[in-house]
Amino acid sequence: MKSERLITRDLKKAFEAVPGCVVRLLPDSGGVSHKKPYDFYILYKGKHISVEAKIKDGALKAHQRKALEDDAAAGCEAAVW
């Protein structure tokens, strides 16, 4: 089974194949105490989409859920894959 990070890289490639779509992976410290709120974001047609990828039965951590909710409240789209 692929790691979550490899899956996010595959998603990045797939989204970047769409004309005009820009994807930025956020740095991963490799530790459980990192402060990044989600894995990557997409810019497409003037929209910001925050994305957190999960494998198996992965659940959002409290800080991830809050970051995605904050983004959604600010008018961004938020997704969990």
Side-chain angles (χ1 to χ4, degrees):
M1 171 173 267
K2 285 185 176 182
S3 71
E4 186 176 294
R5 197 62 179 172
L6 288 177
I7 290 170
T8 60
R9 288 182 182 150
D10 290 347
L11 287 170
K12 178 183 188 292
K13 287 178 190 174
F15 283 116
E16 287 181 332
V18 176
C21 189
V22 176
V23 180
R24 293 291 178 254
L25 291 178
L26 298 174
D28 188 0
S29 68
V32 292
S33 63
H34 58 75
K35 297 197 184 274
K36 72 173 184 67
Y38 40 80
D39 291 315
F40 62 96
Y41 63 89
I42 300 167
L43 299 173
Y44 182 66
K45 293 188 177 184
K47 283 286 195 178
H48 176 280
I49 306 163
S50 307
V51 181
E52 173 61 28
K54 293 293 182 190
I55 58 173
K56 294 185 182 179
D57 294 329
L60 289 174
K61 295 180 177 132
H63 76 282
Q64 292 171 323
R65 183 177 311 282
K66 179 164 181 359
L68 294 171
E69 288 171 355
D70 289 349
D71 283 2
C76 299
E77 300 293 326
V80 179
W81 261 285

